[in-house]
Amino acid sequence: MSNPFREDLVSRSRPQPCTVVIFGATGDLTHRKLVPALYNLAVDGELPHGVKIVGFARRDKADDEFRAGLEELNRKVSRSGHDDELWGNFVQSITYHRSEFTDADGYQRLSERLDEIDRECGGKGNRLFYIASAPDFFDDILENLKAAGLNKASDGCWARVIVEKPFGTDLATARHLNEVVSRTFEERDTFRIDHYLGKETAQNLMVLRFANSIFEPLWNNRYIDQIQITCAENLGMEGGRGGYYDTAGALRDMVQNHLLQLMSLVAMEPPTDLSADGVRDEKVKVIRSLRQWDTPEKVAKNVVRGQYQAGYVDGESVPGYREEDRVDPESMTEAYVALRLMVDTWRWSGVPFYIRMGKRLPKKATEISVHFKSPPSVLFNTQGSSAAESNVLVIRIQPDEGISLRTVSKIPGTSMRLEPVKMDFRYATSFGKGSPEAYERLLLDAMAGDATLFARRDEVEEAWKFIDHIEHAWHESEEPPVMAEFVAGTWGPKEADDLLREDGHAWRRL
């Protein structure tokens, strides 16, 4: 007898053949992520037959020159390695289209070229536009696509757009961009990408919670003491990134999108179904339920910002944040941020969510740790501190994706000695292969019209509303909060440790 629940879980819309147009095709994202993702899908037999790729950018390049640059990076970064024969077949689907992003004639020529591709391939005319350019050109690209009639498809076909982050720099710019998008593409055809949601462990969060009866009954404030989300990066401002980062900062660059998205998956209620809107309805409720840190006093009590000073990472000397290339020597932009969040819902009342993100930390890792309440200290209260350690469920987002659970066990021997032990699940060892790259799943979902792992308009705006209060307190208050400092290669400023110590907690060591 078939299991209808299992059939529902494995069913999904099939990706359809289309032409993928990448705006900003000479950029790093295209070379390091997008084209390698499409190549790996082709290697695995997941890419729909007949997919074509058109790179749209401002530099003068011939097709062969563009393809050679893509091949050079693919050899270095492809998840499945680089096979010359497979690449030779795949690269024939790639062409280059030179145009300024503001040149209306360039979009007319693009329209003609897409029609020509459809005639040659006998395709239906499905188009997937990927905006991977600098954010300054988002409006121009969207408006010109509309002017050229590329935002609409003929009968039986579709035209969709993927918009890369940053989706605005505050609530006002996010609302403006949403208005531009809504004038050009239908919401069902708009895919605001957050690559963290494409990571296998992030996708597995709902399965972990709702398909395992040992967790869902405990997933509330009766049994959970605290939840921590950490995104640690050991890099600084390499590659000229300082110019962008000093205008954004850790809060806007990572917390507003990636980390609030992960938090919403952890805290959401069970959706009515697995449809895109079913899942996203519950996620946006979480963000709306965040207690607002809307005064300088609340921000100072619940948020810590910091910058790294000169130190050592992986044994190498590194400069302080303000000494980095393209960073203002008097910068007041945070390269580290820690927050205490409260979700004011029945399920999570009283449970703090701690989020931290920092540059120049000891290692690169992203994880979610769920700390359960300790049992009463009655039976084992004389056995030392190890007996009092709580159970911790750790969801590793990157690297080494997987899940572990810390429990307490008796050490073999005649005496009653207790020690924490870990039950560990790793994707690579359990399933015999590594997880696909996030962009692989997200590109396939966009081709299938499945927006479950993409942010909806109201999600983006609610997240910015929360973040804007903090930004205003930092930059517009008469006495903005101090900038904490920490040595590069350590786990952040003392003030971030004090934030948890106030509640009797401590950051989990990664």
Side-chain angles (χ1 to χ4, degrees), residues 33 76 107 202 260 297 325 394:
K33 296 294 184 181
K76 297 177 181 178
Y107 293 80
L260 285 185
E297 293 75 20
D325 182 37
V394 177

Side-chain angles (χ1 to χ4, degrees), residues 41-280:
L41 289 171
V43 170
D44 292 344
E46 296 278 355
L47 193 67
H49 179 72
V51 166
K52 300 295 182 181
I53 303 163
V54 177
F56 187 115
R58 296 174 292 172
R59 300 177 190 174
D60 281 320
K61 285 181 181 286
D63 286 352
D64 288 344
E65 182 185 1
F66 179 55
R67 292 168 176 173
L70 296 174
E71 180 180 359
E72 181 181 356
L73 258 294
N74 194 71
R75 288 182 179 277
K76 297 177 181 178
V77 303
S78 170
R79 169 182 63 85
S80 60
H82 184 92
D83 182 283
D84 287 333
E85 182 178 354
L86 292 175
W87 175 263
N89 294 328
F90 169 75
V91 79
Q92 296 305 311
S93 67
I94 301 176
T95 57
Y96 185 78
H97 182 82
R98 192 269 168 197
S99 174
E100 297 291 332
F101 296 132
T102 56
D103 181 11
D105 181 61
Y107 293 80
Q108 290 295 336
R109 290 187 285 108
L110 174 65
S111 179
E112 295 168 3
R113 188 163 191 174
L114 294 178
D115 289 341
E116 182 181 346
I117 290 173
D118 292 335
R119 287 192 297 270
E120 291 175 354
C121 300
K124 285 187 175 182
N126 293 329
R127 282 86 183 263
L128 180 62
F129 301 102
Y130 198 120
I131 305 181
S133 68
D136 293 346
F137 296 107
F138 285 4
D139 287 18
D140 293 318
I141 294 170
L142 289 164
E143 295 286 10
N144 277 299
L145 284 172
K146 179 181 180 181
L150 290 169
N151 62 323
K152 303 293 183 182
S154 56
D155 292 341
C157 302
W158 48 258
R160 298 171 184 150
V161 64
I162 299 177
V163 183
E164 260 289 345
K165 63 167 287 218
F167 202 86
T169 57
D170 56 18
L171 179 58
T173 56
R175 281 176 171 166
H176 167 76
L177 185 52
N178 275 329
E179 288 299 322
V180 174
V181 171
S182 67
R183 292 198 302 267
T184 53
F185 287 85
E186 298 288 340
E187 179 65 29
R188 68 173 182 272
D189 296 321
T190 303
F191 296 75
R192 300 168 187 84
I193 199 164
D194 184 337
H195 72 271
Y196 263 54
L197 297 185
K199 293 181 181 295
E200 197 67 42
T201 313
Q203 298 172 46
N204 204 30
L205 265 169
M206 283 199 300
V207 177
L208 175 72
R209 288 188 54 190
F210 303 129
N212 293 282
S213 59
I214 64 171
F215 291 125
E216 178 52 28
L218 309 180
W219 212 264
N220 55 61
N221 57 6
R222 293 183 60 191
Y223 300 100
I224 292 177
D225 185 47
Q226 55 161 312
I227 293 176
Q228 298 182 15
I229 301 177
T230 294
C231 177
E233 296 186 3
N234 55 1
L235 297 178
M237 299 297 121
E238 293 86 347
R241 185 167 168 76
Y244 159 75
Y245 202 86
D246 204 40
T247 64
L251 188 70
R252 288 191 286 188
D253 185 55
M254 290 293 294
V255 176
Q256 182 273 333
N257 40 71
H258 301 327
L259 302 189
L260 285 185
Q261 286 285 330
L262 291 180
M263 190 213 71
S264 67
L265 287 172
V266 173
M268 64 185 276
E269 295 298 319
T272 56
D273 54 42
L274 294 178
S275 66
D277 281 333
V279 173
R280 296 190 295 182

Side-chain angles (χ1 to χ4, degrees), residues 11-36:
S11 64
R12 58 174 301 214
S13 300
R14 290 183 176 275
Q16 299 176 15
C18 62
T19 299
V20 182
V21 181
I22 303 175
F23 294 92
T26 56
D28 198 54
L29 178 64
T30 301
H31 285 66
R32 289 187 175 274
K33 296 294 184 181
L34 301 183
V35 169

Side-chain angles (χ1 to χ4, degrees), residues 322-334:
R322 293 183 180 179
E323 288 77 54
E324 294 272 23
D325 182 37
R326 303 187 187 182
V327 172
D328 184 350
E330 298 182 358
S331 173
M332 292 299 288
T333 299
E334 76 288 354

Side-chain angles (χ1 to χ4, degrees), residues 364-384:
K364 179 179 177 64
T366 300
E367 71 164 39
I368 301 165
S369 57
V370 180
H371 300 247
F372 292 89
K373 292 181 177 180
S374 298
S377 298
V378 177
L379 293 176
F380 304 107
N381 57 352
T382 62
Q383 304 305 319

Side-chain angles (χ1 to χ4, degrees), residues 221 224-227 260 263 267 285-293 298 301-303 339-355 466 470 499 503 505:
N221 57 6
I224 292 177
D225 185 47
Q226 55 161 312
I227 293 176
L260 285 185
M263 190 213 71
K285 288 178 186 177
V286 173
I287 300 175
R288 285 177 179 155
S289 300
L290 285 172
R291 190 177 301 173
Q292 298 295 309
W293 305 143
K298 292 178 182 178
K301 182 175 177 58
N302 295 283
V303 186
L339 307 91
R340 173 171 46 211
L341 305 182
M342 305 300 295
V343 181
D344 288 331
T345 62
W346 186 271
R347 181 187 293 265
W348 296 112
S349 178
V351 178
F353 285 71
Y354 302 109
I355 293 179
F466 177 79
I470 300 173
L499 182 68
D503 301 331
H505 299 145

Side-chain angles (χ1 to χ4, degrees), residues 334-455:
E334 76 288 354
Y336 176 100
V337 64
L339 307 91
R340 173 171 46 211
L341 305 182
M342 305 300 295
V343 181
D344 288 331
T345 62
W346 186 271
R347 181 187 293 265
W348 296 112
S349 178
V351 178
F353 285 71
Y354 302 109
I355 293 179
R356 60 175 168 169
M357 187 280 152
K359 295 281 191 179
R360 292 295 191 202
L361 299 184
K363 63 189 293 187
K364 179 179 177 64
T366 300
E367 71 164 39
I368 301 165
S369 57
V370 180
H371 300 247
F372 292 89
K373 292 181 177 180
S374 298
S377 298
V378 177
L379 293 176
F380 304 107
N381 57 352
T382 62
Q383 304 305 319
S385 60
S386 62
E389 292 196 40
S390 65
N391 302 127
V392 180
L393 178 69
V394 177
I395 300 117
R396 295 187 302 273
I397 306 297
Q398 66 175 6
D400 192 22
E401 292 178 284
I403 301 167
S404 66
L405 177 64
R406 186 178 74 186
T407 62
V408 176
S409 180
K410 177 184 174 297
I411 298 175
T414 57
S415 61
M416 181 63 72
R417 292 186 301 141
L418 309 182
E419 188 75 22
V421 295
K422 185 169 66 173
M423 294 186 287
D424 204 11
F425 153 68
R426 299 168 188 263
Y427 276 90
T429 54
S430 294
F431 297 115
K433 62 178 182 178
S435 301
E437 293 288 339
Y439 281 100
E440 296 175 31
R441 169 65 188 269
L442 295 172
L443 284 164
L444 279 185
D445 281 358
M447 293 178 192
D450 183 352
T452 304
L453 300 179
F454 295 83

